[in-house]
């Protein structure tokens, strides 16, 4: 056996194998991502950062090793729905590959990501975690497997809804199970909302609820139900006699099993054959008089569920950022590890430009994810300004980051060439999974309209965003005044454009462009603010260079007939791709240099 291993190793390290570019196997994804630690130091108290850093380091190592392999296997061996047991009894169950169970044990058991916002003591921290800390774990874990992110998120969301709106009896009965890290006692959550009739138009749903003693009976069909065999499900239904539209919709908790241990009265009709997130079971559900319990006021069901959706949208943005970061790591492994035509790929000008196109939206999304998470933390602490800021940041992040992930993952696949298209490498799975982000919890059109017509048109949330961005610029004294002045002006223009689009129905077709403009300007400001903070701590202002690239390459329209590569661009690329620290003086010179 040992001899065979030696033979195999010799083959693997032979000349033919060395022709293939390396991948990220064995990489510690936390150590490979200094930007993550930098942003956590900005957004978290020092004692909390110091506490979670070793845990993030351990997760980063697992993600580059056993969890990555588990993700690959779980994606290949998809869940299987069994309608009967071997004796012919009607006993539905979903069979999962052992690799999926390994992912569950890590996410729900060892790290308790789903419970970090609800249960004190996770990973030895005496209280619950702020959202920014929780999503550091989300960001790392999903670089191994995106599909598991949904069960984590909806279990977290179900606990949030129950703790916020459920009565004492419901909480006592179900909340502990949703926040357990003991796998044998855990009851995972689900969110069954989509119907054939409605889709994003939730007000047209047809599932009905009829009262019966202390519970309700639900009848209808749910069309796209992720984590299909979840033990505790949150869903919307229309109580008998309620008005039409979203105001007549109630929120209900539906257990998978009844008090006597028997299955509740609903069936999984089939599992979806999905493009991505194949490891996780999504199904079609038929409610046949299922027993459920009202959560909160029945005339506020849609509003209450919207809180879970908003949390899911933030999580969605973080997970799309995670896919981009994994794609970036893979692209850099190829670029640094393969020699063609006598040069490393990373030293070739066109490849360097492509790498920057992968890096830039990834760093934008990372900054915007933590900016949004911080707003959620402050909003939940009672800040009305932060609540307004969150109202605009959440759909803006969800809209742009999820769309960027599709292109970034595709470009990373192209960096690897034809072999990147093969499922043995991570890039094919990353690209398949990336397409879910811009559909899940609202398509691009729906979310852009939410940002413009609702957050701005109805709630005036752009005022909070404007105030926040101007304040961050004023707080960035080490950034050159000329660059801050330019960003101040772009903030005003982006806000003005968004207001104009929101104010007139005829401008609806510009909603996507206006949302993207808000995202790009907000990320450019945030990157400059981060550069000021990071430079003050450890002398590196490289994120200021990213701020320039956002404005130059993602906001402004270049002259299609002008040569744009010059000494400034080459110097910026050299600094960013070599990951060398840059002084504020040098970064300031480069951001103000003529293109």
């Amino acid at each position: 056996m040992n001899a065979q291993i030696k033979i195999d190793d010799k083959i693997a390290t032979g000349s033919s194998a060395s022709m293939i570019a390396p991948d990220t196997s064995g990489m510690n994804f936390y150590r490979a991502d200094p930007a993550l630690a930098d942003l956590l130091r900005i957004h978290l108290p020092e004692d909390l950062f110091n506490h979670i850093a070793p845990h993030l380091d351990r997760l980063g190592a697992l993600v580059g090793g056993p969890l990555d392999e588990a993700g690959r296997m779980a994606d290949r061996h998809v869940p299987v729905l069994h309608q009967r047991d071997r004796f012919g009894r009607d006993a539905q169950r979903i069979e999962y590959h052992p690799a999926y169970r390994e992912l569950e044990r890590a996410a729900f058991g060892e790290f308790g990501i789903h419970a970090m916002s609800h249960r004190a003591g996770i990973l030895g921290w005496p209280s619950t975690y702020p959202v920014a800390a929780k999503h550091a774990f989300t960001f790392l874990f999903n670089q191994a497997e995106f599909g598991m992110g949904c069960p984590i998120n909806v279990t977290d969301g179900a606990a949030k809804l129950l703790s916020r709106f459920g009565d004492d009896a419901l909480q006592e009965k179900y909340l502990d199970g949703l926040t357990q890290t003991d796998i044998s006692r855990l009851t995972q959550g689900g969110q069954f909302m989509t119907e054939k009739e409605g889709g994003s138009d939730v007000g047209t749903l047809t599932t009905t609820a009829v009262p019966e003693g202390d519970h309700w009976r639900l009848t209808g069909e749910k069309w796209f139900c992720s984590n299909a065999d979840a033990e505790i499900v949150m869903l919307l239904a229309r109580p008998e006699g309620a008005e039409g539209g979203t105001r007549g919709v109630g929120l209900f908790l539906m257990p998978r099993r009844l008090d006597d241990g028997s299955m509740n009265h609903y069936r999984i009709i089939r599992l979806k054959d999905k493009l991505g997130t194949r490891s996780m079971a999504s199904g079609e559900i038929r409610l046949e008089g299922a027993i459920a319990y009202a959560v909160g006021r029945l005339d506020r069901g849609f509003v209450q569920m919207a809180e879970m959706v908003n949390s899911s949208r933030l999580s969605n943005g973080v997970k799309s950022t995670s896919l981009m970061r994994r794609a970036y790591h893979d692209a850099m492994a190829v670029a640094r590890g393969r020699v063609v035509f006598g040069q490393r790929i990373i030293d070739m000008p066109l490849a360097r430009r492509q790498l920057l196109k992968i890096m830039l939206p990834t760093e934008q999304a990372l900054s915007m994810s933590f900016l949004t998470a911080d707003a959620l933390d402050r909003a939940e602490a009672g800040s009305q300004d932060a609540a307004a800021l969150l109202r605009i940041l959440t759909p803006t992040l969800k809209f742009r980051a999820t769309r960027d992930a599709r292109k970034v993952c595709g470009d990373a696949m192209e960096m690897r060439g034809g072999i990147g298209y093969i499922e043995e490498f991570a890039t094919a799975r990353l690209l398949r999974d990336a397409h879910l982000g811009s559909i899940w919890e609202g398509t691009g059109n729906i979310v852009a309209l939410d940002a413009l017509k609702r957050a701005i048109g109805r709630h005036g949330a752009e005022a909070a965003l404007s105030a926040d961005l101007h304040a961050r610029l004023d707080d960035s004294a080490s950034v050159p005044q000329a660059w801050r002045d330019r960003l101040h002006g772009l903030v005003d223009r982006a806000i003005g454009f968004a207001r104009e689009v929101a104010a007139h129905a005829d401008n609806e077709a510009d909603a996507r462009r206006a949302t993207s403009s808000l995202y790009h300007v907000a990320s450019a400001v945030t990157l400059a603010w981060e550069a000021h903070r990071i430079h003050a701590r450890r002398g590196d202002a490289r994120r200021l260079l990213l701020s320039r690239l956002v404005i130059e390459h993602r906001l402004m329209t270049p002259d299609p007939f002008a040569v744009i590569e010059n000494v400034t661009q080459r110097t910026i690329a050299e600094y960013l791709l070599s990951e060398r620290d840059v002084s504020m003086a040098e970064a300031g010179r480069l951001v103000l240099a003529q293109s």
Side-chain angles (χ1 to χ4, degrees):
M1 186 179 220
N2 290 337
Q4 182 61 50
I5 291 174
K6 290 180 180 178
I7 292 172
D8 290 344
D9 287 345
K10 184 176 180 181
I11 293 172
T13 57
S15 59
S16 60
S18 65
M19 299 294 290
I20 305 299
D23 65 7
T24 57
S25 298
M27 178 183 287
N28 183 313
F29 284 83
Y30 178 68
R31 296 181 188 180
D33 194 354
L36 175 58
D38 280 335
L39 298 194
L40 288 174
R41 286 185 181 276
I42 290 174
H43 290 289
L44 297 180
E46 184 177 1
D47 60 340
L48 177 54
F49 172 79
N50 290 335
H51 177 80
I52 66 172
H55 299 290
L56 292 171
D57 186 70
R58 171 165 167 72
L59 179 57
L62 291 172
V63 166
L67 292 183
D68 185 41
E69 177 61 16
R72 186 178 72 84
M73 294 297 291
D75 178 79
R76 176 172 293 184
H77 300 280
V78 300
V80 177
L81 174 63
H82 298 282
Q83 298 286 2
R84 290 185 168 190
D85 67 13
R86 63 182 180 274
F87 298 106
R89 291 173 297 203
D90 187 7
Q92 281 195 328
R93 67 181 180 90
I94 297 177
E95 176 187 354
Y96 294 93
H97 190 271
Y100 185 84
R101 298 304 189 191
E102 183 179 347
L103 292 165
E104 284 183 323
R105 284 191 293 272
F108 290 99
E110 179 173 355
F111 293 98
I113 302 171
H114 68 296
M116 286 181 165
S117 295
H118 310 286
R119 183 183 286 268
I122 303 293
L123 298 176
W125 186 247
S127 61
T128 57
Y129 287 89
V131 178
K134 174 180 71 175
H135 280 316
F137 289 90
T138 302
F139 174 70
L140 278 177
F141 184 89
N142 281 271
Q143 291 181 53
E145 168 53 22
F146 187 77
M148 180 61 67
C150 177
I152 298 169
N153 180 65
V154 292
T155 302
D156 182 355
K160 181 176 182 177
L161 287 173
L162 182 56
S163 62
R164 186 158 299 184
F165 303 112
D167 60 32
D168 292 343
L170 278 181
Q171 290 185 24
E172 183 177 355
K173 188 173 184 179
Y174 294 112
L175 189 55
D176 180 72
L178 286 168
T179 62
Q180 273 289 337
T181 58
D182 179 346
I183 294 294
S184 66
R185 299 172 61 193
L186 170 70
T187 50
Q188 289 187 35
Q191 173 187 314
F192 297 177
M193 193 159 64
T194 305
E195 298 188 4
K196 298 177 189 176
E197 297 81 4
S200 296
D201 186 5
V202 178
T204 63
L205 66 78
T206 59
T207 298
T208 58
V210 177
E212 182 181 272
D214 66 345
H215 58 262
W216 296 71
R217 292 277 188 172
L218 306 186
T219 304
E221 287 195 18
K222 295 294 182 179
W223 179 240
F224 203 106
C225 304
S226 293
N227 212 16
D229 58 347
E231 292 293 330
I232 305 296
V233 175
M234 292 291 183
L235 74 169
L236 298 175
R238 194 178 307 280
E240 187 177 44
E243 64 179 294
T246 56
R247 290 186 179 181
V249 171
L251 176 64
F252 295 88
L253 182 153
M254 181 178 72
R256 177 78 170 139
R257 301 174 195 278
L258 302 177
D259 292 344
D260 62 3
S262 64
M263 302 301 292
N264 203 347
H265 307 289
Y266 66 91
R267 295 188 59 79
I268 305 169
I269 302 303
R270 65 169 179 167
L271 299 183
K272 299 288 194 180
D273 185 9
K274 297 174 293 182
L275 172 68
T277 64
R278 298 177 65 84
S279 66
M280 182 265 301
S282 299
E284 299 166 20
I285 307 295
R286 179 177 296 152
L287 307 170
E288 301 169 334
I291 291 176
Y293 303 92
V295 178
R297 288 172 45 185
L298 287 176
D299 61 346
R300 299 281 293 174
F302 176 77
V303 174
Q304 293 166 176
M305 180 64 93
E307 291 208 16
M308 184 173 175
V309 170
N310 279 331
S311 294
S312 294
R313 285 179 174 177
L314 168 56
S315 179
N316 197 339
V318 173
K319 289 195 282 286
S320 291
T321 307
S322 177
L323 291 175
M324 287 190 272
R325 178 62 92 211
R326 176 65 190 272
Y328 170 75
H329 284 318
D330 192 80
M332 289 297 287
V334 172
R336 289 171 173 159
R338 189 168 185 222
V339 175
V340 294
F341 307 113
Q343 284 184 290
R344 291 190 312 162
I345 290 176
I346 198 171
D347 297 324
M348 297 178 172
L350 196 55
R352 292 166 75 81
R353 185 171 178 81
Q354 186 169 348
L355 287 168
L356 287 177
K357 287 187 174 183
I358 294 171
M359 173 193 284
L360 185 58
T362 304
E363 298 296 346
Q364 283 183 274
L366 186 64
S367 295
M368 292 295 285
S369 291
F370 280 103
L371 186 71
T372 308
D374 179 71
L376 177 54
D377 280 325
R378 291 187 288 119
E380 293 192 337
S383 170
Q384 292 301 308
D385 290 339
L389 179 62
L390 182 69
R391 186 66 185 83
I392 183 66
L393 283 178
T394 303
T396 302
L397 169 69
K398 198 276 183 187
F399 171 75
R400 189 68 260 167
T402 58
R403 298 184 65 76
D404 285 345
R406 297 179 348 206
K407 186 174 190 309
V408 165
C409 291
D411 284 352
M413 174 186 285
E414 187 178 358
M415 286 296 298
R416 187 168 285 282
I419 201 166
Y421 195 69
I422 305 303
E423 293 285 353
E424 291 173 321
F425 287 87
T427 44
R429 176 160 52 99
L430 294 177
L431 183 58
R432 287 190 284 104
D433 287 348
H435 282 267
L436 177 63
S438 52
I439 299 173
W440 185 16
E441 305 296 8
T443 62
N445 287 350
I446 292 295
V447 178
L449 290 174
D450 186 27
L452 272 293
K453 296 298 184 181
R454 297 181 184 90
I456 294 177
R458 293 184 189 175
H459 302 289
E462 81 284 1
L465 178 60
S466 177
D468 182 88
L469 297 178
H470 284 304
R472 290 181 192 276
L473 289 171
D474 292 339
D475 187 42
S476 305
S478 65
V479 173
Q481 186 64 53
W483 186 249
R484 286 190 283 154
D485 288 344
R486 185 177 184 192
L487 292 178
H488 276 302
L490 289 171
V491 169
D492 290 339
R493 291 184 64 188
I495 295 294
F497 178 43
R499 281 174 172 157
E500 182 181 359
V501 173
H504 303 286
D506 292 343
N507 295 338
E508 183 175 296
D510 286 314
R512 294 162 72 103
R513 193 160 59 93
T515 304
S516 290
S517 295
L518 288 174
Y519 180 85
H520 293 320
V521 171
S523 63
V525 169
T526 304
L527 286 161
W529 174 76
E530 291 165 351
H532 166 72
R533 300 288 299 273
I534 296 167
H535 187 266
R537 189 179 63 82
R538 63 176 188 86
D540 182 20
R542 282 188 307 129
R543 293 186 85 75
L544 186 60
L545 304 179
L546 294 167
S547 178
R548 168 176 169 150
L549 294 185
V550 170
I551 300 304
E552 197 165 54
H553 294 286
R554 306 218 68 201
L555 187 67
M556 301 302 178
T557 303
D559 181 346
F561 305 110
V563 174
I564 60 176
E565 183 75 3
N566 54 38
V567 173
T568 298
Q569 294 286 340
R570 288 192 290 272
T571 303
I572 290 174
E574 172 63 27
Y575 279 133
L576 292 175
L577 294 176
S578 66
E579 299 185 350
R580 291 161 49 192
D581 289 350
V582 182
S583 69
M584 184 60 75
E586 175 65 359
R589 182 186 70 79
L590 289 169
V591 296
L592 297 177
Q594 294 295 317
S595 298

